[in-house]
Amino acid sequence: MTFLPHETDASLQWADLPSVETTSVRHTLGELALEMSGVAAMCLNAKRRLVWANSALLALTGFNHVELTGRCSRLFLREGQSDEAIVDILAGVTAERRWQGELRCMRKTGSALPVRLQVSAVPDAEGETLWVLQDLSRRRADEALIHQLRYFDTLTGLPNWSWLQDELSRLANRANSRNERLAIMLIDLDRFRSINDARGEAVGDYLIETLAERLQTAKVPGALVARRDGDEFCVVMPCADVGQAKTVGAVLQRLVSEPIILGQQQYDLSACVGISMFPEHGRDASQLLGNAGTALHAAKRNHQGTVCVFCDALAADAQIRRRTEEGLQRAIEQDELSLHYQPQVDLARGTVLGVEALLRWQPNHGGKISPADFIPVAEQTGQIIPIGQWVLEQACRQARPWCEGGANRMRLAVNLSPCQFRHGNLVRTVSTVLAHTGFPAQCLELEITEGILMEDPERVEVIMRELCALGVAFAVDDFGTGYSSLGYLKRFPLQRLKIDRSFVVDCCSNVQDRAIVDSIIGLAHNLGLDVIAEGVECEEQREFLQAHGCDMAQGYLFSQPLPPTALEGWFARRPDGGLRP
């Protein structure tokens, strides 16, 4: 093998290469091919002295020919070794006529470059070896980027769910061998999605980044923090017992609840925490995370800002909820959902002023499922969005002849879920249903809870006013059981308050309930709102409500909720035909 000088290196002279026997220089076809290939290559003699190097190798290492002479043994590093690496490589070539592997190549700048090296014995050249280098730096950078994208969250830089599952498996195995315990805490922000929808993704991203930083810097010994997606985080930590885990969960809640200032706006967040423990609640990552998720769902059902620890009762409840969720997915398609209607009666005149649409579910395999059991599941899974649209359209279609029979004066009350305000376009949905069914907008009353009004007041107010512009009215359902803030009564475009049945049941015998009912009626009338009491079941309750000025009532005293055909029969049996004149 001989040296082929690089024609652009004008300063290079044969005399600069004392290790090369110039009398033996010849331009071989092999050397020319390697020079033109662009692959970094060089040749060493039996004494590990440079015989030949092409321009690609010089460019890769940054050295020139003279600088490479005598230092080739120190050019490669493997596991912190230099000369030893060359000795091992040449030993492999001697035994197998070739060697290949990955190691580091030292550049002139002092930086280390990952390369794949192939070394072969040169035929018909005693002791000479050909060294071919492939630069792996771009591949390593690509692999690092792929690893980052696969295992780390792009917004916060926290490990993601994939990383968490792998790491939790490793931690569980280690804890098992050391007879230790772990706490797995899932943290979910309350009302974050409504803030993100109302304020925009930029605000939502800032809040998530801020909370991620807080969780990372929390003084929780040995804790690992990861982000699942959206507004959910996970903390895994060594833990002595459930009591300690709940204490840490409360600490993390306090971190979340500290105000976040962005511009002129202050954001006050809260979070629910679900906890599972290793090993009592599972021995693998899937089971531990699943049980922590079950505890989190229970915490969210109970109240905002709740910490809940997994238990067997929650597992049974989760199984029932999963079956309910699966059943709801086919309920509409298989015609298992239906609407019943309960009349709303004018207490002074005894005439029907409206009906409330109430959702019922009777699976084809038999039995009935209570709304109290399936509606919360539908809300948490998002299934309430298509179900709510179906209810609105079905109710408008069925109630249209009843309202037209009352000279467009009888109202149809339909309940709305908070999810319908958070997701989708409620105004467009309502206006589309009204157009498709021909139902008069002035006969439609949408019932909402106090929680909806307080969740994102600015956004909810805009939606309500747009719907009011269509002619739709609003009533607050279950008044007095939620926030009971007087401020929203004058802020939002409301027409009616509904007294919750829990106050009506004992209004004739309980002094506190009597006072609450009387106060609600007086407050509503002073604000120009009508009042309707629900759950009226006896004449004594009716008389009390009427005497205290309540405008309307509904309950079993007048009629239980009825399917459409039965309701029409109920109308027909009344002297006024069931409709207000």
Side-chain angles (χ1 to χ4, degrees):
M1 296 290 290
T2 56
F3 172 74
L4 180 65
H6 192 272
E7 60 185 59
T8 59
D9 191 353
S11 63
L12 182 63
Q13 303 293 329
W14 295 118
D16 294 332
L17 301 175
S19 64
V20 178
E21 298 178 9
T22 58
T23 57
S24 64
V25 173
R26 63 185 185 276
H27 300 281
T28 67
L29 184 60
E31 294 167 358
L32 181 61
L34 285 171
E35 178 67 29
M36 297 180 64
S37 71
V39 174
M42 67 180 184
C43 181
L44 301 184
N45 61 20
K47 296 180 180 181
R48 290 182 281 167
R49 305 281 291 176
L50 180 70
V51 173
W52 174 86
N54 68 357
S55 56
L57 183 128
L58 301 182
L60 182 67
T61 63
F63 293 106
N64 61 35
H65 297 83
V66 174
E67 292 168 332
L68 279 179
T69 300
R71 66 173 298 140
C72 292
S73 295
R74 300 189 301 276
L75 194 59
F76 301 102
L77 300 177
R78 185 178 60 186
E79 299 176 356
Q81 301 174 343
S82 55
D83 288 346
E84 292 86 348
I86 298 296
V87 171
D88 291 345
I89 291 171
L90 293 176
V93 174
T94 301
E96 303 291 339
R97 303 293 293 172
R98 65 174 52 246
W99 181 96
Q100 62 180 0
E102 295 183 8
L103 37 66
R104 291 180 296 153
C105 173
M106 298 303 297
R107 308 181 72 179
K108 184 177 181 178
T109 58
S111 62
L113 188 71
V115 297
R116 180 168 186 80
L117 177 64
Q118 292 180 305
V119 183
S120 302
V122 178
D124 302 325
E126 186 64 31
E128 289 189 1
T129 51
L130 176 65
W131 301 60
V132 178
L133 289 71
Q134 179 186 2
D135 183 0
L136 298 179
S137 58
R138 176 169 294 183
R139 179 185 296 179
R140 292 289 180 267
D142 291 342
E143 289 173 350
L145 177 59
I146 291 172
H147 182 271
Q148 182 72 20
L149 294 174
R150 180 178 179 182
Y151 290 109
F152 291 85
D153 176 50
T154 56
L155 176 63
T156 64
L158 290 176
N160 62 18
W161 199 247
S162 296
W163 178 92
L164 177 65
Q165 293 178 88
D166 293 343
E167 184 66 10
L168 183 53
S169 295
R170 186 187 69 81
L171 290 174
N173 290 334
R174 188 179 70 177
N176 186 56
S177 64
R178 298 179 179 180
N179 197 28
E180 296 175 343
R181 302 175 79 187
L182 297 173
I184 295 85
M185 289 175 276
L186 292 183
I187 304 167
D188 188 86
L189 304 181
D190 300 319
R191 302 186 298 107
F192 173 78
R193 291 181 182 177
S194 62
I195 295 175
N196 192 65
D197 292 342
R199 300 298 183 183
E201 290 187 4
V203 171
D205 287 350
Y206 179 80
L207 298 180
I208 291 296
E209 288 180 282
T210 302
L211 294 176
E213 184 177 353
R214 288 181 182 178
L215 293 174
Q216 280 183 292
T217 56
K219 297 179 180 180
V220 181
L224 298 175
V225 183
R227 183 188 180 200
R228 181 174 188 175
D229 55 23
D231 57 348
E232 189 171 308
F233 296 89
C234 182
V235 174
V236 179
M237 57 170 285
C239 190
D241 52 38
V242 171
Q244 182 187 2
K246 294 180 71 173
T247 299
V248 173
V251 170
L252 298 178
Q253 282 183 321
R254 287 196 294 273
L255 285 177
V256 171
S257 64
E258 293 177 4
I260 299 176
I261 308 299
L262 179 58
Q264 301 298 315
Q265 183 71 38
Q266 175 175 311
Y267 295 92
D268 298 298
L269 300 174
S270 61
C272 288
V273 180
I275 301 174
S276 68
M277 300 290 296
F278 173 88
E280 52 263 58
H281 299 150
R283 289 186 170 273
D284 59 61
S286 177
Q287 191 174 17
L288 289 166
L289 291 170
N291 288 339
T294 297
L296 177 62
H297 286 306
K300 293 173 71 67
R301 289 198 306 272
N302 291 340
H303 196 270
Q304 292 182 1
T306 302
V307 177
C308 185
V309 180
F310 177 80
C311 63
D312 291 340
L314 291 180
D317 181 60
Q319 187 175 7
I320 294 173
R321 295 175 67 83
R322 279 194 293 270
R323 288 200 298 264
T324 301
E325 179 183 349
E326 292 170 358
L328 279 172
Q329 292 176 351
R330 58 178 180 270
I332 295 181
E333 299 175 0
Q334 298 185 1
D335 199 27
E336 295 179 350
L337 297 179
S338 63
L339 294 180
H340 286 201
Y341 299 87
Q342 187 169 44
Q344 298 175 333
V345 178
D346 185 317
L347 286 176
R349 296 193 286 179
T351 54
V352 179
L353 300 181
V355 292
E356 179 182 2
L358 299 169
L359 182 61
R360 297 292 184 263
W361 179 17
Q362 185 169 359
N364 293 330
H365 56 71
K368 294 181 181 180
I369 300 178
S370 168
D373 293 330
F374 73 81
I375 288 181
V377 175
E379 289 179 337
Q380 291 178 8
T381 60
Q383 293 170 308
I384 197 67
I385 301 296
I387 290 175
Q389 184 170 344
W390 178 88
V391 168
L392 181 62
E393 185 160 357
Q394 187 80 349
C396 288
R397 199 177 305 279
Q398 291 177 344
R400 177 182 173 183
W402 310 333
C403 294
E404 290 177 343
N408 286 348
R409 301 179 67 181
M410 194 179 83
R411 288 186 303 273
L412 167 66
V414 177
N415 292 277
L416 290 182
S417 162
C419 292
Q420 292 172 275
F421 276 87
R422 296 190 201 113
H423 307 290
N425 191 322
L426 183 59
V427 177
R428 182 173 60 191
T429 297
V430 173
S431 60
T432 299
V433 168
L434 292 175
H436 286 173
T437 62
F439 190 84
Q442 64 269 27
C443 293
L444 178 61
E445 181 174 272
L446 300 177
E447 292 192 4
I448 58 179
T449 63
E450 296 173 84
I452 291 177
L453 299 177
M454 293 298 98
E455 189 171 87
D456 187 357
E458 291 82 5
R459 184 168 183 266
V460 170
E461 182 180 3
V462 170
I463 293 174
M464 290 179 66
R465 294 197 180 279
E466 290 180 0
L467 289 170
C468 285
L470 299 176
V472 175
F474 281 93
V476 177
D477 196 12
D478 302 333
F479 182 78
T481 61
Y483 293 88
S484 299
S485 170
L486 301 182
Y488 71 72
L489 293 179
K490 66 177 183 179
R491 173 176 181 174
F492 296 100
L494 302 171
Q495 287 73 40
R496 205 170 332 280
L497 298 183
K498 295 190 73 174
I499 304 175
D500 187 69
R501 63 178 293 113
S502 62
F503 301 127
V504 174
V505 169
D506 296 322
C507 66
C508 299
S509 58
N510 185 283
V511 175
Q512 287 83 5
D513 286 344
R514 290 170 66 96
I516 290 173
V517 171
D518 191 45
S519 298
I520 292 174
I521 294 172
L523 174 64
H525 286 167
N526 288 334
L527 293 173
L529 304 176
D530 292 335
V531 184
I532 179 170
E534 56 184 357
V536 179
E537 298 182 354
C538 65
E539 187 64 30
E540 187 180 10
Q541 293 170 343
R542 187 198 67 79
E543 291 176 355
F544 170 83
L545 292 167
Q546 184 177 353
H548 285 76
C550 185
D551 303 294
M552 293 163 283
Q554 66 184 86
Y556 276 46
L557 175 64
F558 310 103
S559 173
Q560 64 181 1
L562 299 170
T565 303
L567 180 67
E568 291 172 353
W570 184 87
F571 283 154
R573 292 191 296 271
R574 293 178 60 83
D576 59 0
L579 303 175
R580 184 170 70 176

